[in-house]
């Protein structure tokens, strides 16, 4: 986790105090060694997922009754068919891509590359949500409340999106995005403030805030924000055209500007964390609150700020989904982004670049699974199982190492203590 | 142990701010009763509370007929006095209990106001509350067992979900309540074992480990539900534990039908409450468990096997959560629907915190939260302008208030969430 250096920072006193911490943190993990464990985790997850698909397929059992060989053959057939559908749904069909490029027909090219672009669309909220958790981790805070912050952010941007009329798009869309960020920031501010002022643990408070947010948005959508002609369905009015995040191509290709806004957010988080004094303070508070306190850093302020910013990123995830994809808010807004984002931050080593890569991986898997569900009737929830397995293997690399007989690393690398204990010490 | 006890007392007495804040919360609730309900009620009207749960002719009790306005004035005065006492003297250790009572009085005032001039089946509501509190309380018990040993358990929800799905599936296949129940418990224990191995053996962050289990259980149960249970309805049709009135006790007026005319899960909850409260606080086993959760190094020095104690506690916690999960399918609905637990595991976590990591406290909190749930489902019938969603928020908000007001850092097991490394 603490694999970055800060030689440029003028905080000598801190380095004196927390010498040992920074000493262990100065060692930079190589790019490849950071990829080995997640890569093997993905592989192992896919293998276990395949076994799971086999075990839950009725055809396999009937084939095994005929003969052992045909059972194996059927198993192989089901798995290869599923994973091929997963791949084609996520990336596209390579043959079709080549053919489209050769033919040079614009429409054909777009159609052939659409699965890949769609994967990026699905990845976008994951990027925002993963960044939210990663920022919290860096400050030593465990923001489990991304899901709730996402809902509040989505509600705020929806409201700005449909209630203000007549603004030009260049103002309205950023305004709606900002509303989403502010909504999420407010929802993150509350547990941050509670942690700083009363010591109430942010894990519990953010879990509670999640459920309050679900109930609250439910109320909004059945009450003040309900669509007049919806016939008692809990949906909001449709947002104005001017509030929409523009899509680059014609329907059905949904690839939109939000993806680049997410990349911009990742860049901003990187700059904040690693290139500013504020980010240095924040990381020091996260790595060693005691040292930070002796160095005169304001822990309370950092905690509140980090939770608010984390909430703002989560709110952007919700706003992005509303403004670019859904265009109106309904209750089943999130596909569990909040909980998956914890996995993302861990797999991405709480580094913005890592988070973006992990988010694209998860988005790709989920997009591919939609196609897999259509062609092979395997429920999309297989992806949740895969994500849980990947998270488990990344969090406990010792399991992966013992499976693949990898050498144990040196002591410092193994430290995964990205967050303080439950008691808030 | 001695040192931690001293530390705790320090924390409790050293925070007069928290005492006053909690007093202000009482005061706010008291004023809300006055402004929201008392001043808006019509002194001429009376509220009738029917004390017999519908359709059950056991333990007949007369209806309560209360004059709405004066009842609310009395409630305002009682809660106001509690607030004043809390601000200037403080209820100290009993603060949580008093908060529970004040919240209950607030809810009662609300009911008296909402049902003014009409009659409300309070008996049925309380009976429903007891039933609704079962999964919350059992979830909280699961949390108490794990966290007393120093292992944080935010995976209660996932364990319960797993238990309810497997209970429904196995119960349908075997058409046996008992086998279904045992399977539910075993499935949840399996999840708990994963949590234990990840957090005790591999020492990964216990919140991450809990998240793994929650995501995994959500994915797995939804997958099975879509792929198997929905396609083949006969696999999702388990028997249900019947209502089992206890002779004599069930005929006591008012309490009888509420407490003693329920199904097996309610009685099991009472038995578990007694067993856990006594074994955690009055037996050698419980002392060891708490020692491991408070100060594992000291416990180890005294010859207690920290690792084994933690494994045992987490597995037992898993069993209790699985039992609570089985309630959803084998105890009430008789069918598994995806995401069936709907956050009850997290409310259980909240109840555990409100209950100060004790079984008896968790039980009280579970009842209160079950009551809030029970009212939320009836608000539409009452025709009040308070949306039911706000009633459902009550448990979460209460927990945050408790956490901010009293619990803070002081009361949870000192080594909660810390992996133990033997030196």
């Amino acid at each position: 986790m603490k694999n970055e250096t800060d030689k440029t920072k003028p905080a000598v006193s801190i380095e004196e105090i927390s010498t040992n911490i920074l000493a262990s943190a100065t060692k930079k993990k190589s790019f490849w060694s950071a990829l080995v464990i997640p890569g093997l985790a993905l592989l192992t997850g896919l293998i276990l997922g395949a076994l799971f698909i086999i075990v839950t397929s009725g055809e396999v059992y009937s084939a095994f009754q005929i003969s052992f060989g045909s059972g194996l053959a059927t198993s192989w057939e089901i798995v290869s068919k599923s994973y091929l559908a997963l791949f084609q749904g996520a990336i596209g069909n390579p043959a079709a891509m080549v053919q489209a490029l050769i033919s040079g027909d614009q429409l054909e090219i777009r159609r052939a590359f659409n699965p890949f672009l769609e994967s990026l669309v699905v990845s976008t909220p994951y990027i925002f949500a993963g960044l939210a958790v990663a920022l919290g981790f860096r400050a030593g805070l465990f923001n489990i409340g991304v899901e709730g912050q996402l809902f509040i952010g989505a509600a705020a941007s929806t409201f700005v999106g449909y209630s203000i009329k007549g603004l030009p798009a260049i103002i309205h869309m950023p305004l709606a995005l900002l509303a989403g960020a502010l909504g999420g920031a407010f929802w993150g501010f509350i547990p941050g403030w509670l942690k700083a002022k009363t010591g109430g643990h942010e894990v519990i408070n953010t879990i509670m805030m999640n459920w309050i947010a679900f109930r609250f948005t439910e109320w909004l959508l059945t009450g003040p924000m309900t669509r007049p002609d919806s016939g008692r369905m809990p949906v909001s009015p449709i947002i104005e055209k001017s509030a929409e995040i523009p899509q680059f191509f014609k329907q059905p290709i949904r690839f939109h500007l939000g993806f680049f806004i997410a990349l911009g957010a990742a860049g901003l988080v990187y700059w904040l964390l690693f290139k500013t004094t504020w980010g240095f303070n924040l990381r020091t508070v996260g790595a060693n609150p005691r040292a930070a306190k002796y160095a005169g850093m304001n822990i309370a302020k950092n905690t509140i700020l980090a939770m608010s910013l984390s909430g703002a990123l989560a709110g952007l995830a919700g706003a992005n989904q509303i403004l670019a994809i859904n265009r109106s808010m309904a209750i089943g807004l999130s596909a569990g982004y909040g909980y998956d984002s914890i996995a993302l931050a861990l797999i991405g080593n709480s580094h913005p670049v890592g988070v973006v890569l992990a988010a694209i991986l998860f988005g790709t898997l989920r997009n591919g699974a939609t196609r897999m569900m259509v062609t092979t009737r395997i429920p999309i929830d297989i992806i949740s199982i895969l994500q849980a397995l990947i998270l488990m293997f990344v969090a406990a690399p010792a399991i992966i190492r013992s499976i693949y007989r990898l050498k144990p690393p040196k002591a410092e690398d193994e430290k995964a203590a990205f967050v303080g204990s439950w008691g808030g010490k | 142990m001695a040192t931690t006890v001293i530390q705790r007392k320090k924390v409790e007495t050293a925070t007069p701010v928290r005492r006053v804040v909690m007093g202000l919360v009482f005061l706010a609730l008291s004023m809300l009763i006055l402004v929201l309900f008392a001043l808006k009620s019509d002194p001429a009207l009376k509220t009738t509370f029917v004390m017999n749960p519908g359709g059950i002719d056991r333990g007949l009790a007369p209806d309560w007929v209360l004059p709405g306005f004066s009842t609310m004035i009395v409630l305002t005065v009682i809660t106001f006095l509690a607030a004043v006492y809390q601000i200037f003297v403080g209820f100290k250790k009993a603060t949580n209990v008093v908060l529970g009572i004040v919240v209950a009085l607030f809810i009662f005032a609300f009911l008296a106001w909402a049902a003014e001039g009409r009659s409300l089946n309070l008996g049925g509501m309380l009976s429903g509350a007891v039933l609704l509190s079962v999964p919350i309380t059992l979830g909280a018990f699961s949390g108490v067992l794990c966290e007393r040993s120093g292992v944080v358990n935010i995976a209660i929800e996932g364990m319960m979900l797993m238990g309810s799905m497997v209970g429904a599936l196995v119960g349908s296949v075997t058409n046996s309540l008992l086998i279904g129940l045992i399977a539910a418990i075993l499935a949840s224990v399996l999840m708990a074992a994963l949590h234990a191995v990840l957090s005790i053996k591999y020492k990964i962050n216990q919140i991450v480990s809990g998240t793994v289990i929650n995501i995994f259980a959500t994915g797995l149960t939804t997958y099975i539900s879509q792929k198997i249970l929905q396609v083949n309805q006969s696999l999702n049709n388990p028997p249900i534990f019947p209502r089992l009135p206890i002779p004599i006790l069930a005929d006591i007026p008012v309490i009888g039908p509420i407490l003693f005319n329920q199904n097996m899960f309610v009685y099991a909850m009472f038995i578990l409450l007694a067993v856990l409260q006594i074994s955690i606080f009055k037996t050698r086993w419980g002392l060891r468990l708490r020692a491991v959760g408070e100060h594992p190094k000291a416990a180890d020095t005294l010859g207690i096997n920290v690792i084994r104690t933690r494994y045992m506690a987490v597995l037992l916690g898993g069993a209790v959560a699985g039992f609570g999960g089985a309630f959803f399918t084998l105890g009430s609905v008789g069918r598994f629907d995806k995401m069936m637990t709907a956050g009850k595991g997290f409310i259980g976590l909240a109840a555990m915190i409100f209950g100060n990591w004790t079984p008896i406290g968790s039980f009280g909190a579970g009842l209160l939260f079950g009551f809030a749930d029970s009212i939320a489902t009836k608000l539409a019938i009452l025709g009040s302008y308070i949306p039911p969603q706000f009633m459902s928020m009550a448990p979460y908000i209460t927990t945050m208030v408790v956490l901010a007001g009293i619990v803070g850092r002081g009361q949870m097991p000192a080594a909660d969430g810390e992996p133990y490394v033997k030196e």
Side-chain angles (χ1 to χ4, degrees):
Chain A
M1 285 290 141
K2 312 159 201 151
N3 52 3
E4 67 290 323
T5 53
D6 264 288
K7 286 167 193 149
T8 51
K9 288 293 157 291
V12 185
S13 59
I14 296 152
E15 274 182 85
E16 277 170 7
I17 294 159
S18 56
T19 333
N20 51 346
I21 290 170
L22 289 180
S24 72
T26 44
K27 223 168 145 192
K28 204 157 196 147
K29 237 192 230 176
S30 83
F31 186 66
W32 287 113
S33 79
L35 275 185
V36 168
I37 294 290
L40 288 175
L42 174 65
L43 180 70
T44 321
L46 284 172
I47 293 170
L48 288 176
L51 285 176
F52 187 75
I53 291 173
I54 293 169
V55 172
T56 54
S57 294
E59 303 95 302
V60 173
Y61 291 99
S62 36
F64 266 112
Q65 274 169 357
I66 300 165
S67 76
F68 188 71
S70 88
L72 284 185
T74 314
S75 309
W76 171 251
E77 198 188 328
I78 288 177
V79 169
S80 58
K81 208 173 131 198
S82 312
Y83 279 171
L84 185 70
L86 182 73
F87 181 82
Q88 290 191 348
I91 313 284
N93 184 346
M97 282 178 179
V98 174
Q99 212 165 29
L101 283 177
I102 292 169
S103 77
D105 179 21
Q106 282 290 325
L107 194 70
E108 285 293 312
I109 293 177
R110 268 187 242 151
R111 207 168 274 158
F113 282 91
N114 187 29
F116 172 68
L117 291 175
E118 183 63 21
S119 286
L120 296 184
V121 170
V122 180
S123 308
T124 309
Y126 278 123
I127 298 178
F128 285 118
L131 286 172
V133 179
L135 189 82
F137 277 166
R138 287 287 175 180
L141 294 164
F142 209 130
N143 183 8
I144 295 203
V146 167
E147 191 87 355
Q149 291 145 15
L150 185 150
F151 267 78
I152 297 297
S157 71
T158 310
F159 182 74
V160 171
Y162 76 75
S163 65
I164 301 176
K165 293 183 170 66
L167 278 182
I170 193 88
I171 299 172
H172 198 180
M173 191 273 278
L175 195 70
L177 265 184
L178 183 73
L182 286 178
F186 172 66
W187 220 246
F189 166 82
I190 297 171
W193 183 83
L194 284 171
K195 165 113 183 175
K197 298 294 172 192
T198 71
H201 201 284
E202 80 276 7
V203 168
I204 300 169
N205 278 334
T206 49
I207 291 176
M208 299 303 136
M209 295 289 289
N210 277 346
W211 290 94
I212 296 173
F214 300 155
R215 297 289 165 266
F216 185 68
T217 45
E218 212 176 286
W219 171 70
L220 282 178
L221 293 178
T222 51
M225 272 174 67
T226 194
R227 192 187 298 177
D229 57 345
S230 69
R232 308 199 69 181
M233 283 279 282
V235 282
S236 77
I238 298 169
I239 57 164
E240 292 288 301
K241 200 94 188 134
S242 55
E244 286 175 7
I245 294 178
Q247 297 183 347
F248 293 118
F249 306 104
K250 282 188 211 111
Q251 288 288 348
I253 300 176
R254 306 194 295 176
F255 189 58
H256 57 81
L257 186 67
F259 179 71
F260 295 103
I261 300 177
L263 290 186
L268 196 69
V269 169
Y270 176 81
W271 177 76
L272 265 177
L273 277 176
F274 299 105
K275 302 290 170 202
T276 64
T277 320
W278 177 78
F280 180 72
N281 288 356
L282 185 121
R283 285 182 295 124
T284 315
V285 168
N288 190 342
R290 201 167 293 166
K293 200 175 168 186
Y294 283 127
M297 293 172 183
N298 188 340
I299 296 186
K301 197 185 94 188
N302 271 301
T303 301
I304 297 174
L305 211 57
M307 279 305 286
S308 306
L309 270 182
S310 176
L313 286 164
L316 280 175
N320 168 76
Q321 279 313 81
I322 297 292
L323 302 178
I325 306 290
N326 297 358
R327 309 255 148 91
S328 70
M329 188 167 171
I331 284 184
L333 164 76
S334 165
Y337 296 118
Y339 297 107
D340 292 344
S341 57
I342 297 164
L344 292 175
L346 280 174
I347 295 168
N349 214 6
S350 295
H351 191 286
V353 176
V355 169
V356 168
L357 292 177
I360 291 175
L361 170 69
F362 271 30
T364 308
L365 280 175
R366 193 163 279 278
N367 179 36
T370 317
R371 166 80 173 258
M372 184 166 77
M373 184 156 75
V374 175
T375 53
T376 62
R377 296 180 169 278
I378 289 173
I380 195 165
D381 307 277
I382 186 84
I383 295 305
S384 295
I385 300 174
L386 271 181
Q387 284 170 347
L389 290 170
I390 296 172
L391 170 60
M392 178 176 88
F393 291 135
V394 170
I399 302 177
I400 286 291
R401 280 200 205 94
S402 63
I403 295 175
Y404 295 97
R405 322 251 155 185
L406 297 181
K407 267 185 288 179
K410 287 180 194 108
E412 296 100 81
D413 290 358
E414 188 65 329
K415 267 192 188 162
F418 49 83
V419 64
S421 78
W422 191 239
K425 273 171 242 163
Chain B
M1 281 304 287
T3 51
T4 38
V5 170
I6 292 162
Q7 268 179 358
R8 280 197 172 179
K9 276 192 181 144
K10 229 193 247 161
V11 170
E12 270 171 32
T13 50
T15 53
V17 177
R18 285 188 181 154
R19 194 192 72 213
V20 174
V21 167
M22 195 48 101
L24 292 177
V25 170
F26 291 179
L27 194 65
L29 284 171
S30 170
M31 290 299 113
L32 281 177
I33 296 179
L34 186 68
V35 175
L36 285 183
F37 310 137
L39 295 182
K40 285 195 178 178
S41 75
D42 183 349
L45 291 176
K46 286 185 192 311
T47 311
T48 310
F49 286 119
V50 180
M51 297 311 290
N52 298 304
I56 302 155
D57 53 349
R58 285 185 174 278
L60 283 173
D63 297 345
W64 291 2
V65 182
L66 298 174
F69 180 72
S70 30
T71 308
M72 279 176 261
I73 293 298
V74 170
L75 291 174
T76 309
V77 171
I78 296 175
T79 46
F80 183 77
L81 289 178
V84 171
Y85 187 79
Q86 171 69 17
I87 290 173
F88 293 106
V89 186
F91 286 100
K92 305 216 166 63
K93 278 182 95 174
T95 313
N96 271 8
V97 178
V98 178
L99 175 67
I101 294 171
V102 170
V103 171
L105 290 179
F106 177 80
I107 296 174
F108 187 73
F110 163 71
L111 288 177
W113 166 79
E116 205 172 44
R118 286 178 293 164
S119 75
L120 173 75
N121 192 337
L122 188 65
M125 203 175 253
L126 288 174
S127 163
V130 170
L131 208 60
L132 284 170
S133 75
V134 169
I136 301 173
T137 308
L138 290 174
F141 286 170
S142 166
V144 169
L145 273 167
C146 295
E147 305 217 350
R148 277 287 171 185
S149 80
V151 179
V152 166
N153 188 3
I154 65 161
I156 302 168
E157 176 88 0
M159 295 176 186
M160 281 181 140
L161 201 53
M162 205 66 184
S164 66
M165 189 275 288
V166 172
L169 182 61
V170 175
S172 308
V173 171
T174 60
N175 201 28
S176 155
L177 277 172
L178 191 66
I179 300 178
L181 184 64
I182 292 171
I185 292 175
L186 286 180
S188 172
V189 167
L190 210 63
M191 290 288 104
L194 182 65
H195 184 47
V197 169
L198 288 177
S199 55
I200 301 170
K201 179 158 188 257
Y202 289 103
K203 299 183 182 66
I204 79 173
N205 185 293
Q206 294 167 4
I207 295 163
V208 173
S209 164
T211 309
V212 167
I213 288 165
N214 281 339
I215 299 179
F216 184 78
T218 308
L220 187 77
T221 53
T222 316
Y223 181 97
I224 303 256
S225 166
Q226 295 213 336
K227 175 112 184 171
I228 297 172
L229 300 184
Q230 282 177 14
V231 180
N232 202 337
Q233 288 292 336
S234 67
L235 291 178
N236 193 11
N237 190 22
I240 308 177
F241 279 96
R243 205 183 266 269
L244 205 70
I246 296 180
I248 305 170
L249 289 177
D251 295 326
I252 303 172
V254 187
I255 348 173
I258 294 171
L259 292 182
F260 302 112
N261 188 15
Q262 302 273 17
N263 70 19
M264 177 279 288
F265 284 93
V266 174
Y267 309 135
M269 173 174 78
F270 286 117
I271 296 169
L272 258 177
L273 166 67
V275 168
L276 287 180
Q277 186 70 25
I278 292 170
S279 57
I280 289 177
F281 292 103
K282 301 285 174 208
T283 67
R284 183 185 300 178
W285 177 83
L287 181 65
R288 288 181 174 174
L289 180 78
R290 284 180 292 134
V292 166
E294 297 287 351
H295 203 314
K297 199 183 269 178
D300 196 6
T301 318
L302 293 172
I304 300 171
N305 189 332
V306 174
I307 302 295
R308 200 179 63 199
T309 309
R310 285 191 169 175
Y311 268 109
M312 190 178 55
V314 174
L315 293 184
L316 274 178
V320 173
F323 185 72
F327 170 81
F328 289 95
T329 47
L330 302 177
S332 61
V333 180
R335 185 185 67 246
F336 179 79
D337 300 318
K338 64 177 185 178
M339 301 305 295
M340 194 170 196
T341 48
K344 287 287 186 301
F346 288 115
I347 303 194
L349 186 75
M352 175 199 75
I353 296 160
F354 194 3
N356 226 343
W357 282 265
T358 64
I360 184 85
S362 306
F363 170 71
L367 273 186
L368 190 65
F369 293 171
F371 193 39
D373 252 7
S374 173
I375 294 172
T377 56
K378 297 227 164 60
L379 274 176
I381 306 167
L382 285 171
S384 82
Y385 66 80
I386 295 186
Q389 288 89 358
F390 281 58
M391 211 57 187
S392 316
M393 283 180 204
Y396 310 116
I397 295 174
T398 319
T399 304
M400 291 176 69
V401 170
V402 167
L403 209 58
I406 321 167
V407 178
R409 298 165 195 213
Q411 309 267 314
M412 66 178 69
D416 210 1
E418 287 171 20
Y420 180 63
V421 189
K422 198 170 174 143
E423 280 162 17

